[in-house]
């Protein structure tokens, strides 16, 4: 047998087509559970590894008479029937999408009363109940997930009958944004059906035909209630011509697209059962015209059943939708509700000469992701496990709290769950108690007695819920920290048989705490009264002296300030006072240090050499370079319109601006209002505007991608601060690349929020002409004349596209006279053509995933409707992701999945490629303002 298959392997190997997507294959993980050796499967050329060194638990079971000739199914791994979970950990790249697949072949059985029935989990999410009904059937469970950290845990547990087992475990990375959905922060996709219609045989089609190793089931299938109720006149067709599948992002294999069914009598219909339905689902239909139609022939049809308003009225005309024959057209149904029994049919339209055609379908159920245990808690527990790495208890896999608890922890029922108890008495722990334990705020019981712990007690002052702490019988040393007295809930503290030193805080001895401390030879409970009294007196004396010195100093300082303020007051006159008053009312306090101050016009004239060097023009007016007497370089802005009604606004703005301080906002240093001139004095930004760096000037060398990400992040933070950090919140209203300035260190700061409106005050103010800049203008604002934070988000999306492409937002040369960067970029993103967007200057030096991340969020920012756009906070998260991906720093645990963004849903737009009713792009174009 062994010889036989070895020969087979060499022979078959000669015929294996080496797939062109080699990178993916290298990352395939294929685990033969219960297998005894590593090998290459001759049928696919894929390498399989035995799990014998991956998992310590369970036992291999050899299947004697399996009629499946796959090597993977010669054995399986069976786990004990107990209250534990048994887990495999697969390493992943954070935010990358994967197929995770498990299979179960029970094989021949003795005389069991019942076949196994148990639970399958991915992390904390219940994936499936595996119910074996036929011993010789391979049950396949498949999830499409976006990894939220550097690993996923696949666990079996909770047997209802029989013993949990597993036959194979496979991990297949997907390319870029395949199967991206707008729900992926909260939902996995559980594959319910993936069918190749018109298949040439009964065998499923997978790797190497599908480089991603999806399993495309044949529609010639003997399963009960699967693809029954076939309409009369349905025929199977095939072609050997190539089909172009690169037009859409799911890349179904060519061989799947080369076959189809056709309803020659005008109807295709099928019925199939969908496990675990009714549910909300994501569905794809894959079409390619693979018959050569005559010039006067057409193939047009509609989805007749199930009826979805919106989808069902759209006419599918494959050749037209795909722009040609032998080309993929892939309408997606983003969120539809299907029943357990799904009947679907396509019917031809009256004016069509040919009946409907269908190449393949895919249906996946949205599976709500359950939140995993608090990450801080998990990382502390991981640290503790390393203190006794070979113990059984340290090797219980999966999430500490889900689906069943580790044997040595208890958890709260909060979301996310927190660890409330660590029970590790006498578990041969070595080393020091981890200082990070202070982060486990929910901890109520800590049992670490009877181990070999050494070192001092770390800070545990944040463990305010701690009731019981057992540290007896270790080798802990050092003094008893003071926080022990202040833990409000502590009831029981045992520290006998250690080497603690020093005195016992007296509160511990007389408090309500049950405190045991015998056998710590150097620990003293005699309060040393005389000494402490002396120390107290010395302390009191020292404090008194200190108070005197500080008090005197303060008095001097106040006096000095007052005189200074009076000096200024003389020159500024009444306007300064009104500003002060205003500020006092709004801010509740007077201007204090670090706040913009009045600068006389004379001083500014001198600093700017009589306004001789103009460095820019903002929406607020011209900007001049200046240098103050103390050497500080400044940018002085003169208001363009000195008409008197601006007066109050000016005062308002300055008062407001002077209270805004943020690293990523250009700071206002001072102001001047004199002789009908109004000036604002800002810190000078040495490296000019972002726009100039991207395309405006040849003085600068092109920015590389990490620099662009840094700038994007800086600017986003500045805007986020305006939206959320200010009260009242501030809408910038004119976000653009020329309003993002770069300081001497190339860090970005947002400028020109001088004309920003405060949301509260300005909602009633509806101006007749939309303010803002062509190319950046939120179409919704233009239509409704109402500025919101989401208008800034839109404009920022345009800036992101500029950063990606290095192109101007409006450019007849790049996009034609009708179009702008938004239309251009969106259409490329929809085609999945990210390389078409990237600035040639940086292409080749970037991680495409990182660029995608930014493109996806930019695409969301420019959604037609404000409510579909992300918040600036979410934009920042996306940019930080991109930074992390670019740095290749996947194991950073910082990114939180829960706070995550909706930003992944570039896919939403694909819907419109099916509907083609009203592309939002066109409508946006038509309402874009002509000029100004
Ligand atoms: C199988 O391969 C893995 C790594 O590829 C290795 O760690 C393991 O020892 C191998 N197992 C056997 C049984 O050869
Ligand atoms: C993703 O797909 C594109 C287009 O088909 C291909 O060029 C690229 O190599 C793929 N990337 C990976 C990592 O497989
Ligand atoms: C493929 O289609 C041709 C007709 O175009 C037919 O003769 C042939 O039998 C088909 N092949 C299979 C395997 O169905
Ligand atoms: C799908 O739509 C339903 C209702 O239309 C909604 O409740 C649900 O949240 C949507 N998304 C998912 C993933 O189910
Ligand atoms: C299409 O045109 C051909 C000749 O040009 C004709 O024989 C045929 O009947 C036409 N078919 C239809 C459906 O009109
Ligand atoms: C559609 O296909 C034709 C040729 O088959 C080509 O000239 C045209 O550019 C394509 N249009 C689009 C939008 O791809």
């Amino acid at each position: 047998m062994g010889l036989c298959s070895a020969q087979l392997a060499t022979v078959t190997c000669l015929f294996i087509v080496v797939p062109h997507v080699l990178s993916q294959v290298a990352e395939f993980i294929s685990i033969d559970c219960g297998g005894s050796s590593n090998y290459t499967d001759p049928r696919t050329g894929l390498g399989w590894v035995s799990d014998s060194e991956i998992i310590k638990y369970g036992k291999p079971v050899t299947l004697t008479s399996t009629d499946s000739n796959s090597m993977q199914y010669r054995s399986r791994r069976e786990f004990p029937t107990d209250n534990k979970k048994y887990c495999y950990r697969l390493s992943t790249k954070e935010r990358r999408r994967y197929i995770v697949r498990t299979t179960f072949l029970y094989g021949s059985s003795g005389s069991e009363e019942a076949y196994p029935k148990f639970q399958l989990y991915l992390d904390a999410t219940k994936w499936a109940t595996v119910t074996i009904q036929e011993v010789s059937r391979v049950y396949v469970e498949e999830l499409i997930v976006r990894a939220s950290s550097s690993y996923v845990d696949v666990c079996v547990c909770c047997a209802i009958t029989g013993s949990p087992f597993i036959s194979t475990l496979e991990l297949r990375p997907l390319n870029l944004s395949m199967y991206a959905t707008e729900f992926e922060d909260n939902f996995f996709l559980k594959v319910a059906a993936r069918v190749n219609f018109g298949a040439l045989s009964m065998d499923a089609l997978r790797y190497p035909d599908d480089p991603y190793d999806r399993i495309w089931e044949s529609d010639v299938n003997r399963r009960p209630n699967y693809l029954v109720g076939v309409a009369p006149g349905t025929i199977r067709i095939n072609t050997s011509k190539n089909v172009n599948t690169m037009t859409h992002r799911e890349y179904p294999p060519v061989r799947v697209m080369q076959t189809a069914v056709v309803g020659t009598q005008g109807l295709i219909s099928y019925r199939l059962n969908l496990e675990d339905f009714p549910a909300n689902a994501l569905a794809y239909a894959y079409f390619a015209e693979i018959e050569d139609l005559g010039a006067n022939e057409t193939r047009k049809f509609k989805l007749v059943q199930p009826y979805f308003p919106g989808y069902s009225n759209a006419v599918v005309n494959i050749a037209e939708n795909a722009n040609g024959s032998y080309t993929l057209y892939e309408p997606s149904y983003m969120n539809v509700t299907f029943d357990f029994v799904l009947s679907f049919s396509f019917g031809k339209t009256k004016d069509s000469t040919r009946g409907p055609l269908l190449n393949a379908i895919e249906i996946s159920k949205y599976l709500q992701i359950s939140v995993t245990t608090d990450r801080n808690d998990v990382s502390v527990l991981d640290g503790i496990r390393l203190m006794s790495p070979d113990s059984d208890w340290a090797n219980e896999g999966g999430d500490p709290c889900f689906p069943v608890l580790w044997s040595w922890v208890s958890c709260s029922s909060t979301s996310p769950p927190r660890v409330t108890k660590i029970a590790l008495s006498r578990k041969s722990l070595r080393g020091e108690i981890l200082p990070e334990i202070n982060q486990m705020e929910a901890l109520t019981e800590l049992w670490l007695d009877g181990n070999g712990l050494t070192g001092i007690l770390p800070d545990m002052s944040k463990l305010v819920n701690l009731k019981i702490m057992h540290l007896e019988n270790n080798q802990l040393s050092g003094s008893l920290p003071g926080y022990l007295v202040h833990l409000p809930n502590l009831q029981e503290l045992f520290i006998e048989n250690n080497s603690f030193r020093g005195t016992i805080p007296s509160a511990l001895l007389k408090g309500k705490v049950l405190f045991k401390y015998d056998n710590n030879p150097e620990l003293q409970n005699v309060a040393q009264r005389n000494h402490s009294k002396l120390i107290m007196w010395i302390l009191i004396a020292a404090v008194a002296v200190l108070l005197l010195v500080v008090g005197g100093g303060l008095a001097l300082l106040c006096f000095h300030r007052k005189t200074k303020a009076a000096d200024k007051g003389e020159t500024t006159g009444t306007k300064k006072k009104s500003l002060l008053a205003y500020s006092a009312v709004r801010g509740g306090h007077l201007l204090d240090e670090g706040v913009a101050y009045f600068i006389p016009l004379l001083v500014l004239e001198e600093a700017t050499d009589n306004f001789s060097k103009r460095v820019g023009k903002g929406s607020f007016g011209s900007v001049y370079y200046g240098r103050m007497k103390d050497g500080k370089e400044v940018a002085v802005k003169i208001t363009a319109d000195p008409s008197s009604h601006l007066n109050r606004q000016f005062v308002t703005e300055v008062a407001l601006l002077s209270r805004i301080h943020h690293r990523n906002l250009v700071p206002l240093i001072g102001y001047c209002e004199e002789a009908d001139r109004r000036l604002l004095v800002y810190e000078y930004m040495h490296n000019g505007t972002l726009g100039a760096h991207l395309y405006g000037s040849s003085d600068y060398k092109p920015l590389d991608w990490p620099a662009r990400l840094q700038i994007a992040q800086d600017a986003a933070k500045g805007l986020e601060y305006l939206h959320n950090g200010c009260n009242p919140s501030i809408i910038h209203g004119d976000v653009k690349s020329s309003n993002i300035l770069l300081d001497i260190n190339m860090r970005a700061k947002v400028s020109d929020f001088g004309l920003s409106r405060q949301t509260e005050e300005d909602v009633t103010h509806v101006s007749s002409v939309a303010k803002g800049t062509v190319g950046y203008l939120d179409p919704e604002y233009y239509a409704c004349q109402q500025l919101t934070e989401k208008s800034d988000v839109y404009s920022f999306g345009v800036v992101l596209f500029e950063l990606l492409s290095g192109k101007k937002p409006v450019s007849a040369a790049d996009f034609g006279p009708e179009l702008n960067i938004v239309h251009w970029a969106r259409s490329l993103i929809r085609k999945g053509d990210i390389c078409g967007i990237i600035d040639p200057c940086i292409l080749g030096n970037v991680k495409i995933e990182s660029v995608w991340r930014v493109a996806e969020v930019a695409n969301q920012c420019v959604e037609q409707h404000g409510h579909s756009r992300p918040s600036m906070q979410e934009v920042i998260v996306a940019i930080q992701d991109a930074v992390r991906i670019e740095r290749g720093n996947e194991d950073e645990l910082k990114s939180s999945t829960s706070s995550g963004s909706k930003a992944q849903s570039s896919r939403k737009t694909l819907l419109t490629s099916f509907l083609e009713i009203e592309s939002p792009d066109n409508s946006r174009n038509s309402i874009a303002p002509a000029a100004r």
Side-chain angles (χ1 to χ4, degrees):
M1 175 65 196
L3 187 68
C4 209
S5 55
Q7 274 172 351
L8 191 67
T10 43
V11 172
T12 330
C13 273
L14 297 178
F15 296 99
I16 285 168
V17 186
V18 177
H20 62 285
V21 199
L22 274 173
S23 61
Q24 245 106 27
V25 180
E27 292 173 85
F28 280 12
I29 297 176
S30 312
I31 301 175
D32 179 355
C33 305
S36 53
S37 61
N38 297 343
Y39 55 87
T40 300
D41 186 335
R43 295 182 311 164
T44 58
L46 292 180
W48 287 80
V49 296
S50 150
D51 68 346
S52 57
E53 275 156 52
I54 298 173
I55 193 158
K56 293 178 84 173
Y57 301 98
K59 60 175 200 294
V61 175
T62 306
L63 308 191
T64 43
S65 64
T66 117
D67 44 275
S68 165
N69 55 2
S70 293
M71 302 172 80
Q72 298 84 268
Y73 295 114
R74 290 176 309 189
S75 59
R76 57 182 169 85
R77 180 170 294 270
E78 187 169 285
F79 299 100
T81 307
D82 55 18
N83 56 2
K84 291 189 177 161
K85 57 177 178 270
Y86 296 97
C87 302
Y88 292 81
R89 175 160 290 189
L90 302 171
S91 43
T92 54
K93 287 190 179 149
E94 192 178 330
R95 301 206 81 88
R96 184 152 189 200
R97 298 181 188 87
Y98 293 87
I99 289 176
V100 186
R101 184 158 53 218
T102 50
T103 69
F104 306 88
L105 173 63
Y106 189 53
S108 69
S109 61
S111 53
E112 290 99 322
E113 285 169 8
Y115 296 147
K117 181 172 181 179
F118 54 91
Q119 310 287 8
L120 176 66
Y121 276 78
L122 188 112
D123 295 335
T125 304
K126 186 171 162 191
W127 174 354
T129 301
V130 180
T131 310
I132 305 300
Q133 284 161 333
E134 298 166 51
V135 288
S136 55
R137 174 173 157 195
V138 178
Y139 291 83
V140 180
E141 295 292 347
E142 192 174 297
L143 281 188
I144 296 172
V145 306
R146 194 190 54 186
S148 63
S149 71
S150 59
Y151 58 81
V152 294
D153 287 320
V154 175
C155 305
V156 293
C157 76
C158 318
I160 300 148
T161 54
S163 303
F165 73 93
I166 183 166
S167 300
T168 69
L169 176 57
E170 298 160 66
L171 185 73
R172 308 289 185 238
L174 294 170
N175 189 351
L176 302 176
S177 301
M178 286 170 81
Y179 301 102
T181 78
E182 66 192 282
F183 305 111
E184 63 191 348
D185 283 334
N186 302 311
F187 292 88
F188 294 139
L189 289 170
K190 179 176 169 180
V191 179
R194 191 189 286 121
V195 185
N196 173 19
F197 285 96
L200 299 180
S201 79
M202 273 181 66
D203 293 333
L205 206 142
R206 54 189 292 186
Y207 186 87
D209 290 306
D210 186 336
Y212 307 101
D213 196 22
R214 288 163 290 189
I215 297 178
W216 299 83
E217 284 198 81
S218 166
D219 62 338
V220 191
N221 196 304
R222 298 280 146 76
R223 288 205 341 243
N225 293 321
Y226 199 75
L227 300 173
V228 291
V230 183
T234 303
I235 60 157
R236 315 167 69 76
I237 60 169
N238 68 72
T239 181
S240 53
K241 288 195 194 164
N242 183 46
V243 176
N244 177 11
T245 58
M246 290 302 165
T247 51
H248 289 73
R249 239 186 275 157
E250 272 58 43
Y251 312 118
V254 174
R255 270 191 68 190
V256 166
M257 297 307 296
Q258 282 174 327
T259 64
V261 289
V262 172
T264 55
Q265 292 180 17
L267 190 70
I268 288 178
S269 81
Y270 288 93
R271 197 173 69 240
L272 70 163
N273 290 359
L274 296 172
E275 229 178 276
D276 286 346
F277 278 66
N280 293 333
L282 164 65
Y284 292 97
Y286 299 99
F287 300 114
E289 183 56 77
I290 56 169
E291 283 191 307
D292 296 309
L293 304 188
N296 53 1
E297 290 187 298
T298 53
R299 188 192 306 280
K300 296 198 234 170
F301 53 92
K302 288 182 179 182
L303 178 66
V304 179
Q305 209 193 355
Y307 181 82
F308 299 115
Y311 295 117
S312 298
N313 295 323
V315 174
V316 181
N317 181 343
I318 306 172
E320 218 166 74
N321 291 129
N323 193 26
S325 296
Y326 302 99
T327 306
L328 169 67
Y329 171 55
E330 176 196 292
S332 61
Y333 308 80
M334 252 302 153
N335 181 5
V336 285
T337 308
F338 288 146
D339 286 330
F340 173 65
V341 178
L342 170 65
S343 297
F344 71 90
S345 55
F346 291 97
K348 92 176 187 55
T349 60
K350 287 209 180 68
D351 58 343
S352 172
T353 61
R354 295 288 190 109
L357 171 153
L358 177 64
N359 304 67
I361 60 165
E362 230 181 331
I363 297 170
S364 300
K365 171 184 162 166
Y366 283 112
L367 184 68
Q368 175 107 43
I369 300 174
S370 302
V371 50
T372 51
T373 303
D374 180 86
R375 283 194 183 209
N376 280 335
D377 286 1
V378 172
S379 66
V380 180
L381 294 187
D382 283 343
I384 293 177
R385 281 154 44 140
L386 288 178
M387 293 164 74
S388 182
D390 297 324
S391 305
D392 265 6
W393 61 265
N395 284 288
E396 295 175 36
D399 187 274
C401 306
F402 280 120
V404 289
L405 298 172
W406 282 349
S407 59
W408 50 285
V409 301
S410 301
C411 301
S412 67
S413 49
T414 51
S415 172
R418 304 280 322 245
V419 173
T420 56
K421 177 178 175 181
I422 295 179
L424 288 173
S425 303
R426 297 175 302 282
K427 296 287 188 195
S428 29
L429 286 175
R430 296 274 170 274
E432 305 193 355
I433 300 176
L434 301 172
E436 291 82 10
I437 202 162
N438 203 18
Q439 297 166 8
M440 301 185 73
E441 292 101 346
L443 208 58
T444 59
E445 292 186 41
L446 180 60
W447 298 76
L448 297 173
D449 50 295
N451 290 297
L453 296 174
T454 51
I456 60 163
L457 272 192
D459 181 14
M460 293 195 258
S461 55
K462 285 203 270 170
L463 305 187
V464 292
N465 293 302
L466 200 61
K467 289 186 181 140
I468 297 175
M469 176 143 71
H470 279 256
L471 303 170
E472 67 267 27
N473 304 326
N474 282 294
Q475 284 119 50
L476 295 164
S477 54
S479 55
L480 288 183
Y483 65 76
L484 289 173
V485 182
H486 302 295
L487 292 177
N489 288 302
L490 193 64
Q491 296 166 0
E492 211 173 297
L493 175 62
F494 284 32
I495 59 163
E496 310 104 290
N497 293 317
N498 279 292
S499 309
F500 287 111
R501 261 196 301 274
T503 48
I504 297 172
S506 55
L508 268 183
L509 290 168
K510 59 182 178 214
K512 54 185 175 14
V513 179
L514 177 56
F515 178 52
K516 295 201 178 169
Y517 59 94
D518 293 345
N519 248 327
N520 284 282
E522 290 177 63
L523 199 60
Q524 290 152 356
N525 74 354
V526 195
Q528 292 167 319
R529 287 218 182 102
N530 294 341
H531 278 233
S532 54
K533 253 187 193 164
L534 186 64
I535 289 170
M536 203 172 77
W537 278 115
I538 292 174
L539 265 178
I540 288 173
V543 166
V545 170
L546 205 74
L547 276 179
L548 261 174
V549 169
V550 169
L554 273 180
L556 266 174
L557 204 73
C558 285
F559 177 73
H560 186 66
R561 272 237 206 130
K562 265 191 190 148
T563 42
K564 234 182 158 177
D567 282 348
K568 258 192 212 162
E570 273 163 31
T571 46
T572 58
T574 50
K575 272 158 196 162
K576 167 81 194 285
K577 276 189 199 129
S578 67
L579 175 57
L580 277 171
Y582 177 80
S583 163
V585 172
R586 286 206 65 91
H589 55 79
L590 294 179
L591 300 177
D592 30 40
E593 72 232 48
V595 164
Y597 59 95
F598 178 85
I599 305 174
L601 186 58
L602 214 68
V603 173
L604 288 179
E605 279 169 350
E606 197 178 322
T608 57
D609 201 5
N610 259 325
F611 302 102
S612 57
K613 187 172 165 197
R614 200 171 101 160
V615 290
K617 192 164 163 38
S619 56
F620 205 52
S622 292
V623 186
Y624 297 89
Y625 173 84
R627 182 187 277 270
M628 305 295 281
K629 274 226 180 79
D630 62 1
K632 196 173 185 66
E633 291 174 287
V634 295
V636 182
K637 250 176 220 185
I638 303 187
T639 71
D641 179 9
S643 61
S644 58
H645 79 269
L646 269 176
N647 187 5
R648 206 192 107 71
Q649 194 188 346
F650 181 78
V651 174
T652 309
E653 303 268 347
V654 174
L656 185 68
L657 285 178
S658 60
R659 300 209 329 271
I660 301 172
H661 296 278
H662 187 271
R663 197 152 36 108
N664 301 116
L665 297 173
V666 177
L668 180 71
I669 296 174
Y671 69 98
C672 167
E673 191 178 26
E674 234 176 75
D676 284 336
R677 300 184 80 167
R678 293 181 194 91
L679 304 96
L680 292 173
V681 183
Y682 291 95
E683 206 170 289
Y684 180 67
M685 296 289 126
H686 287 82
N687 275 308
T689 71
L690 171 60
H693 283 264
L694 288 177
Y695 42 70
S697 161
S698 51
D699 297 347
Y700 300 116
K701 68 175 198 297
L703 297 167
D704 63 13
W705 181 237
R708 291 179 199 215
L709 285 175
Q710 181 67 65
I711 289 166
Q713 191 178 336
D714 285 344
K717 283 181 175 166
L719 287 176
E720 198 271 340
Y721 182 78
L722 289 179
H723 292 176
N724 300 324
C726 299
N727 186 14
S729 77
I730 291 173
I731 298 166
H732 188 295
D734 196 12
V735 176
K736 53 183 172 180
S737 56
S738 58
N739 273 340
I740 295 172
L741 304 184
L742 301 174
D743 70 8
I744 199 156
N745 299 313
M746 292 299 284
R747 299 301 297 256
K749 296 189 200 299
V750 175
S751 83
D752 228 12
F753 42 97
L755 270 188
S756 318
R757 274 140 290 202
Q758 296 155 247
T759 44
E760 280 173 9
E761 297 190 349
D762 256 11
V763 279
T764 50
H765 169 87
V766 177
S767 63
S768 52
V769 182
K771 291 187 181 130
T773 305
V774 176
Y776 294 92
L777 200 56
D778 170 11
E780 200 170 60
Y781 167 52
Y782 189 77
C784 314
Q785 299 286 316
Q786 198 150 113
L787 205 59
T788 69
E789 277 101 344
K790 293 302 175 75
S791 307
D792 283 352
V793 172
Y794 181 93
S795 310
F796 190 72
V798 176
V799 172
L800 287 178
F801 280 138
E802 292 178 72
L803 280 164
L804 283 164
S805 67
K807 292 191 194 311
K808 287 185 185 174
V810 185
S811 154
D814 283 327
F815 319 117
E818 292 300 305
L819 297 177
N820 60 32
I821 198 168
V822 171
H823 307 121
W824 172 77
R826 288 188 81 129
S827 73
L828 286 173
I829 288 175
R830 192 173 317 173
K831 284 191 228 152
D833 182 5
I834 192 70
C835 295
I837 296 179
I838 303 176
D839 190 339
C841 299
I842 56 170
L843 194 62
N845 278 325
V846 289
K847 295 219 177 88
I848 292 295
E849 274 284 351
S850 169
V851 175
W852 251 126
R853 195 73 190 88
V854 175
E856 281 176 346
V857 76
N859 198 36
Q860 275 227 308
C861 289
V862 297
E863 283 286 338
Q864 177 80 357
H865 298 294
H867 59 79
S868 318
R869 299 174 200 151
S871 66
M872 282 317 295
Q873 184 57 47
E874 290 166 321
V875 174
I876 293 171
V877 169
I879 296 169
Q880 287 173 337
D881 276 345
V883 170
R884 207 167 14 239
I885 296 166
E886 181 63 28
R887 284 201 202 125
N889 197 358
E890 263 90 23
D891 43 24
E892 228 172 284
L893 287 174
K894 260 195 248 151
S895 117
S896 65
T897 39
S898 48
S899 84
S901 52
K902 307 174 288 180
Q904 287 49 266
S905 70
S906 55
R907 179 54 51 85
K908 201 181 290 174
T909 52
L910 276 185
L911 249 183
T912 55
S913 72
F914 180 61
L915 296 174
E916 295 294 351
I917 299 168
E918 250 178 20
S919 158
D921 294 355
N922 300 339
S923 53
R924 177 174 303 144
N925 187 31
S926 63
I927 61 165
R932 209 197 105 109

